[in-house]
Amino acid sequence: MARVFRRMGRFVGLYCGLHTAGWLLAYPLFGFAADFSFWAYMGTGMVVLATLGGLTMLVTLSAALNHTRMPVEKFRWRLWFTMAGFTVPLWLTIWFAPLAFFECVVAALFTTRMPAPLIPENWTARPQ
């Protein structure tokens, strides 16, 4: 059980790290154009991480825990489309529409690097 909690900790740490790196990379491209200070920009990024990221991590964690039969590639694609769907509110606002692109990139990187299946002992993959 401790091994599962370590994997979940890496899971959450990976998402938070990718999200922060995405916002750090987006600041030179979009922060100057919007006349945001660096700290205001990163503060907005942390609010997005707390709201959008929290919801995304809960969905991906529950999906990864329940993922026992689907092929891993199919699971990753479906999870990415779900995570990209959470960025729709960002696409609809004029200030954060460019950042939704980075959120989708973070979601794509996360789904390719996340441990799937999260609990390997429960894995009963279908034969191909």
Side-chain angles (χ1 to χ4, degrees), residues 12-26:
V12 171
L14 175 67
Y15 185 79
C16 291
L18 285 172
H19 186 275
T20 304
W23 278 75
L24 282 172
L25 291 174

Side-chain angles (χ1 to χ4, degrees), residues 33-74:
D35 292 330
F36 283 125
S37 71
F38 176 76
W39 295 111
Y41 195 80
M42 292 309 290
T44 305
M46 293 303 115
V47 168
V48 171
L49 176 63
T51 55
L52 179 69
L55 178 63
T56 301
M57 280 191 278
L58 284 175
V59 168
T60 55
L61 185 61
S62 66
L65 286 173
N66 293 319
H67 169 240
T68 58
R69 292 185 173 256
M70 188 183 302
V72 176
E73 296 82 19
K74 190 176 185 181

Side-chain angles (χ1 to χ4, degrees), residues 2-18 57 61 110 113-115 118:
R3 196 174 83 188
V4 172
F5 285 122
R6 277 194 304 256
R7 286 179 71 109
M8 281 196 249
R10 279 187 266 153
F11 176 89
V12 171
L14 175 67
Y15 185 79
C16 291
L18 285 172
M57 280 191 278
L61 185 61
F110 177 69
R113 302 305 329 154
M114 69 174 275
L118 195 58

Side-chain angles (χ1 to χ4, degrees), residues 80-127:
W80 179 76
F81 281 117
T82 304
M83 290 174 73
F86 287 137
T87 64
V88 169
L90 292 177
W91 288 105
L92 297 177
T93 62
I94 201 160
W95 290 102
F96 297 116
L99 299 174
F101 170 74
F102 282 96
E103 288 294 323
C104 288
V105 169
V106 166
L109 288 173
F110 177 69
T111 55
T112 59
R113 302 305 329 154
M114 69 174 275
L118 195 58
I119 304 175
E121 295 84 25
N122 294 343
W123 179 247
T124 56
R126 286 189 239 155

